[in-house]
Amino acid sequence: MIKSEFLKLSILLLIGGLLACDPDPKLSDKALIPLPEKVQAQDGVFTIDENTKIYIDRSELEDVAQFFSKFINHSTGFNIQVVTEKPEGDYIALGLGLDVPKEGYELDVRPDGISIKGATPEGIFRGFQTLRQLMPSAIEKVGGFEGGAWKVPGVKIEDAPEYGYRGSMLDVARHFFGVEDVKRYIDLMSLYKMNYLHLHLADDQGWRIEIKSWPMLTEIGGSTAVGGGEGGFYTQEDYMEIVEYAQERFITIVPEIDMPGHTNAALASYPELNCNGEAPELYTGTEVGFSTLCTDKEITYQFIDDVVKELVGLTPGPYIHIGGDESHVTPLEDYIPFIEQVQDIVNSYDKKVIGWDEIAHAALRPSATAQYWAKAENAKMAVDQGAKVLISPATRAYLDMQYDSTTQLGLHWAAYIELDSAYLWDPATLEEGIDKGDILGVEAPLWTETISTMEELEYMVFPRLIGIAEIAWTKPALRDWDDYKSRLIKHEERMKALEVNYYSSPLLKQEE
Ligand code: ACM
């Protein structure tokens, strides 16, 4: 044997040896978040390689299967195919027909195959996120796997969510975040099985969605931001791109136009929306509660109808959010009929209203939801009217609240919220008189007065959003802070692979 061949053979043997002694992954080393309902370890591992196929027997699963193959191929460099004939070798089978809730699924990993079954493609998609968390963290990186194999530990999982609405809100009005940023946020949300993204599209400091019948809203109202930056807005095409990207990940966009307060950007764009007919200056500060649409002018309702009509044309989801918070300069006797009329406008386009908890002062229409952020008595007034409540307590779920007194970004008017405080609560027992049956779901809002880059955004959101996702998905009896914390510590490796700029809390260091 000549020397170079000997060298080649030695290297091959060495790689072979490394692969052979690449230890099998243990289920106990994996971090499943949100924690599934039933998890049972099974013997053996399944190895994904370039010959693995994704097998579907129903065309409804084509899109979701293509999504998975693209996801796996992207990081592994394999060319895994979706097939509709049962393959010869090992495969990942996706199947429908299971009698579970729409987002429920069963995942079965054995040495000779993986199956994900559910009742809908959405359930299969949620199940895939669990499978993703069972794969090496390197699956989150492009071509980032150094040696070893794509092994998944044997397991049988049965799972379904506690709440049907598991969301986050991004305030793109105080500081604007472009399409690519929102897509990254959607991607990160999807890993934790979240299914609603609420976009706060208009506030005093900026109007961020193109409305063709009222073009000055973006031309003037979209031209700045908190601190006097250049602002920005989504064209309707941009917005549709976000909606479609979210849909592919089974996430529904909820657009919010805040009114009658938080409207300075609109008032600065169109003088006729002001009671005195004069446009105020654009606003780049961070005060709240000083602006109002003129609630007794006909043109105000024409304006709202036009805006809602265009938004509805861009919104396949069921909800339009009408804001309604902190309307401190709108007298209550004007606020109440305004909120009632705006609900009727939204309902006339076959959409349901969500509004911040203050809207419960008005007569709520049967499909309306009040978003509890500040006052439990408002949320209870909504429940007393038979409305549902979306749970977003500022003291627990506001992602712009500082972690502690040393946090540089964010605010603390509601609370300091460390990771344990963000996790250790239950929507159904938080407030007396608001029970599981009254609750639509849970949402964690990020307000952006102090946040202007993705790096800053990720620092405030992660990892608190992950805990909120678990609160919304996992049954309360299965949730435990110590157990969650140890999974989160293991999950840090995946956040690093995703290059998430998360807050490395001292609470995550205790077990090192
Ligand atoms: C809010 O935080 N003003 C809803």
Side-chain angles (χ1 to χ4, degrees):
M1 194 185 292
I2 57 171
K3 210 170 160 193
S4 72
E5 276 181 342
F6 175 75
L7 200 64
K8 243 193 254 168
L9 187 63
S10 311
I11 290 170
L12 278 176
L13 283 172
L14 186 67
I15 291 174
L18 280 175
L19 283 178
C21 63
D22 181 28
D24 283 348
K26 288 204 214 69
L27 184 61
S28 57
D29 291 337
K30 300 289 175 182
L32 297 178
I33 313 179
L35 187 68
E37 200 169 338
K38 283 192 197 151
V39 180
Q40 204 183 345
Q42 300 192 132
D43 288 341
V45 299
F46 180 85
T47 304
I48 299 171
D49 63 26
E50 60 278 3
N51 298 314
T52 305
K53 303 271 188 288
I54 297 179
Y55 167 54
I56 54 171
D57 62 359
R58 304 272 276 271
S59 59
E60 293 127 277
L61 291 173
E62 176 76 26
D63 288 350
V64 93
Q66 291 295 352
F67 186 94
F68 300 163
S69 75
K70 243 165 72 185
F71 179 86
I72 296 172
N73 292 339
H74 189 63
S75 39
T76 59
F78 298 156
N79 185 23
I80 288 176
Q81 300 288 314
V82 176
V83 296
T84 51
E85 302 270 314
K86 215 173 230 179
E88 290 288 311
D90 295 343
Y91 56 88
I92 301 172
L94 309 181
L96 295 177
L98 205 64
D99 185 18
V100 290
K102 93 179 153 92
E103 294 183 273
Y105 67 91
E106 285 181 17
L107 168 65
D108 194 1
V109 180
R110 297 168 181 274
D112 60 350
I114 293 179
S115 91
I116 309 177
K117 291 196 194 121
T120 64
E122 191 172 352
I124 306 288
F125 186 86
R126 305 296 172 221
F128 181 74
Q129 303 310 318
T130 303
L131 176 59
R132 180 176 164 188
Q133 293 183 353
L134 292 168
M135 294 179 190
S137 303
I139 199 78
E140 311 297 347
K141 294 196 277 197
V142 180
F145 204 36
E146 288 132 18
W150 298 97
K151 292 179 180 179
V152 183
V155 68
K156 173 120 203 243
I157 291 176
E158 293 172 36
D159 200 10
E162 178 76 346
Y163 291 102
Y165 187 120
R166 306 175 305 281
S168 183
M169 186 208 80
L170 270 191
D171 169 12
V172 294
R174 268 52 177 274
H175 282 104
F176 182 63
F177 288 82
V179 173
E180 291 312 310
D181 289 343
V182 178
K183 284 183 178 174
R184 174 163 167 87
Y185 198 63
I186 288 168
D187 272 329
L188 292 171
M189 284 175 70
S190 74
L191 173 56
Y192 309 103
K193 303 185 174 73
M194 299 199 98
N195 62 352
Y196 282 88
L197 174 61
H198 163 187
L199 291 175
H200 182 77
L201 291 167
D203 210 302
D204 290 317
Q205 298 85 349
W207 185 285
R208 308 298 182 204
I209 176 74
E210 177 189 23
I211 301 294
K212 291 187 196 285
S213 54
W214 294 74
M216 294 303 148
L217 290 170
T218 44
E219 192 157 315
I220 296 173
S223 66
T224 192
V226 164
E230 67 176 8
F233 65 91
Y234 307 118
T235 63
Q236 294 200 350
E237 289 70 29
D238 289 340
Y239 185 79
M240 282 308 297
E241 195 178 325
I242 292 172
V243 165
E244 281 161 19
Y245 193 84
Q247 271 180 320
E248 284 163 15
R249 288 147 185 82
F250 297 90
I251 290 177
T252 301
I253 300 294
V254 179
E256 178 187 353
I257 301 296
D258 205 345
M259 56 188 140
H262 289 278
T263 41
N264 192 76
L267 298 168
S269 307
Y270 286 99
E272 58 267 44
L273 299 175
N274 297 271
C275 283
N276 66 3
E278 284 173 26
E281 296 284 303
L282 288 167
Y283 182 68
T284 60
T286 59
E287 297 296 315
V288 297
F290 60 88
S291 58
T292 185
L293 292 171
C294 192
T295 56
D296 50 15
K297 273 189 170 177
E298 203 44 50
I299 186 78
T300 296
Y301 300 95
Q302 186 57 52
F303 164 73
I304 294 167
D305 196 294
D306 289 343
V307 169
V308 168
K309 180 161 61 183
E310 289 196 37
L311 265 187
V312 166
L314 304 169
T315 300
Y319 301 111
I320 300 288
H321 200 303
I322 62 168
D325 58 319
E326 298 176 309
S327 294
H328 301 324
V329 293
T330 322
L332 195 58
E333 63 268 28
D334 296 338
Y335 177 86
I336 288 172
F338 173 87
I339 293 294
E340 290 168 358
Q341 199 166 334
V342 174
Q343 290 181 82
D344 291 340
I345 292 173
V346 171
N347 292 164
S348 77
Y349 292 103
D350 289 330
K351 296 291 182 190
K352 299 178 192 178
V353 160
I354 304 180
W356 298 105
D357 60 49
E358 291 95 323
I359 67 163
H361 288 286
L364 296 178
R365 303 312 186 223
S367 61
T369 295
Q371 185 166 8
Y372 167 39
W373 68 281
K375 287 207 170 144
E377 63 259 38
N378 289 345
K380 278 179 224 158
M381 277 200 301
V383 167
D384 288 345
Q385 296 192 53
K388 289 269 192 256
V389 178
L390 179 57
I391 303 283
S392 303
T395 52
R396 301 289 192 159
Y398 266 30
L399 300 171
D400 59 316
M401 291 298 114
Q402 294 169 331
Y403 293 99
D404 63 25
S405 62
T406 68
T407 311
Q408 301 290 310
L409 297 163
L411 305 169
H412 59 263
W413 58 263
Y416 292 115
I417 309 179
E418 245 301 350
L419 304 192
D420 49 356
S421 176
Y423 182 82
L424 278 166
W425 61 283
D426 178 29
T429 55
L430 187 67
E431 300 294 346
E432 210 169 299
I434 303 175
D435 303 323
K436 172 89 202 293
D438 304 317
I439 297 173
L440 178 69
V442 183
E443 186 180 284
L446 180 77
W447 300 99
T448 61
E449 286 96 332
T450 66
I451 293 151
S452 59
T453 66
M454 264 324 256
E455 223 180 3
E456 293 171 351
L457 180 153
E458 288 175 15
Y459 184 81
M460 296 308 285
V461 167
F462 293 99
R464 286 184 293 198
L465 184 71
I466 304 174
I468 303 282
E470 178 150 306
I471 289 173
W473 179 280
T474 304
K475 306 237 164 326
L478 298 176
R479 286 195 276 109
D480 174 79
W481 163 250
D482 288 326
D483 173 64
Y484 170 70
K485 187 171 73 168
S486 70
R487 280 180 287 126
L488 193 55
I489 289 168
K490 290 176 201 152
H491 186 71
E492 284 187 273
E493 187 187 302
R494 194 166 299 265
M495 286 193 282
K496 284 179 185 150
L498 285 160
E499 296 180 19
V500 172
N501 181 40
Y502 67 95
Y503 162 64
S504 178
S505 165
L507 296 179
L508 297 181
K509 298 194 174 74
Q510 284 169 11
E511 291 189 5
E512 272 179 5

